[in-house]
């Protein structure tokens, strides 16, 4: 099944979706169950939850925004998966106030660690929600991508500030509270007791290429997607990716 999201938006999600889909397929084969229980923390309006539900899995979305959960409900209904998608209001800090520990085959933690007070606690909670055999899909803002973007925009002082700032912020106007390196995210996953199964750079080129080029040049979008997929697996490009994706596996799921 290809990425069901809009072609232009798929530039931002294709790599993550492919890795996630393959991880879920491995869990299906390992468990012998066609339908998995998936938790999407900070899942918002269902950018990943609804496609995952369309694969036949049951998805619980935890998000602090009532508006996002309302949009999730509408999107799930439009995709005819309302019976497999449940939205609950909550956040990563108080995760177990709204969901059970150890109840999920896979946990998605996308775009959450940038905003929580304690990223390590956020990862620990996500891992604690997994069953003894399970996978964690972790997506967070990359430090190098922000530095490169500020520099290419001519904001050299901001680029240097992001590079030297402990949280990777380029200034008070920076809308992202925290950014990470691949090594930092991998360490958080390992410290929470998981094995790092894969690391991918996301949006290595997509945010740097002029949109008019992608939209008007014949075949450019498809070629850019293929380039993103090829570069995503190379450690050389992790340091300049806008986002970083880490797939963590429980010891029981290793080699599944």
């Amino acid at each position: 099944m290809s990425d069901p999201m809009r072609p232009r938006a798929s530039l931002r999600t294709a790599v993550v979706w492919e890795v996630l889909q393959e991880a879920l397929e491995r869990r299906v084969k390992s468990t012998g169950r066609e339908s998995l229980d998936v938790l999407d923390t900070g899942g918002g309006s269902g950018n990943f939850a609804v496609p995952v539900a369309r694969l036949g899995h049951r998805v619980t979305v935890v998000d602090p925004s009532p508006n996002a959960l309302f949009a999730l409900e509408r999107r799930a209904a439009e995709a005819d998966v309302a019976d497999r998608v449940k939205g609950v209001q909550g956040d990563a800090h108080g995760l177990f106030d709204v969901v059970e520990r150890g109840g999920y085959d896979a946990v998605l933690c996308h775009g959450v660690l940038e905003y929580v007070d304690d990223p390590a606690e956020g990862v620990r909670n996500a891992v604690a929600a997994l069953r003894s055999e399970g996978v964690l899909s972790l997506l967070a803002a990359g430090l190098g991508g922000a530095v490169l973007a500020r520099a290419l925009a001519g904001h050299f002082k901001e680029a240097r500030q992001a590079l030297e700032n402990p949280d990777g912020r380029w200034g008070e106007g920076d809308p992202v509270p925290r950014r990470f390196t691949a090594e930092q995210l991998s360490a958080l996953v390992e410290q929470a007791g998981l094995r790092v199964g894969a690391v991918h750079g996301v949006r290595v080129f997509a945010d740097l290429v002029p949109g008019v080029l992608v939209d008007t040049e014949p075949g450019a979008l498809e070629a850019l997607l293929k380039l993103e997929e090829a570069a995503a697996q190379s450690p050389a490009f992790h340091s300049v990716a806008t986002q970083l994706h880490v797939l963590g596996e429980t010891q029981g799921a290793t080699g599944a």
Side-chain angles (χ1 to χ4, degrees):
M1 178 179 176
S2 61
D3 187 343
M5 292 166 252
R6 297 187 304 277
R8 194 71 174 86
S10 69
L11 279 172
R12 299 173 177 268
T13 59
V15 170
V16 179
W17 175 248
E18 182 176 341
V19 175
L20 177 60
Q21 188 176 1
E22 290 176 354
L24 293 175
E25 288 174 354
R26 290 196 299 271
R27 297 309 308 140
V28 165
K29 292 179 181 179
S30 179
T31 62
R33 291 184 284 111
E34 293 186 1
S35 183
L36 302 175
D37 293 303
V38 179
L39 175 65
D40 188 353
T41 64
S45 60
N47 287 340
F48 281 91
V50 169
V52 168
R54 292 178 71 179
L55 295 176
H57 306 305
R58 296 176 293 272
V59 187
T60 298
V61 176
V62 176
D63 197 278
S65 169
N67 290 336
L69 293 174
F70 178 77
L72 167 70
E73 184 178 353
R74 185 174 62 238
R75 177 180 283 186
E78 292 173 351
D80 198 27
V81 294
D83 59 327
R84 292 196 293 274
V85 176
K86 178 176 71 172
V88 294
Q89 191 171 359
D91 56 33
H93 176 69
L95 187 61
F96 300 114
D97 293 336
V98 293
V99 301
E100 66 174 307
R101 292 178 181 270
Y104 299 91
D105 301 289
V107 173
L108 280 57
C109 186
H110 296 172
V112 172
L113 296 188
E114 298 93 325
Y115 301 95
V116 298
D117 292 334
D118 186 346
E121 179 192 39
V123 175
R124 288 195 300 268
N125 282 351
V127 171
L130 287 171
R131 289 177 171 144
S132 58
E133 296 187 5
V135 294
L136 169 67
S137 176
L138 186 64
L139 181 68
L143 169 62
V147 174
L148 185 60
R150 301 316 289 174
L152 290 178
H155 303 301
F156 305 122
K157 290 183 179 179
E158 292 180 350
R160 181 175 176 179
Q161 184 168 340
L163 185 62
E164 297 176 346
N165 184 276
D167 293 323
R169 289 172 56 81
W170 48 256
E172 291 187 4
D174 193 337
V176 179
R178 187 182 293 108
R179 294 183 177 88
F180 302 86
T181 65
E183 292 76 17
Q184 287 171 332
L185 286 179
S186 296
L188 287 174
V189 169
E190 291 175 340
Q191 288 164 10
L194 297 190
R195 167 188 173 271
V196 174
V199 179
H200 289 83
V202 180
R203 291 158 58 189
V204 174
F205 306 105
D207 292 348
L208 303 176
V209 175
V212 64
L213 173 65
V214 178
D215 294 333
T216 60
E217 187 73 20
L221 178 61
E222 182 179 355
L224 181 54
L225 277 169
K226 290 182 178 179
L227 177 61
E228 287 280 355
E229 291 172 355
Q233 300 183 56
S234 172
F237 289 100
H238 293 169
S239 60
V240 295
T242 299
Q243 292 180 309
L244 295 163
H245 183 249
V246 177
L247 188 72
E249 302 172 322
T250 64
Q251 296 302 319
T254 300

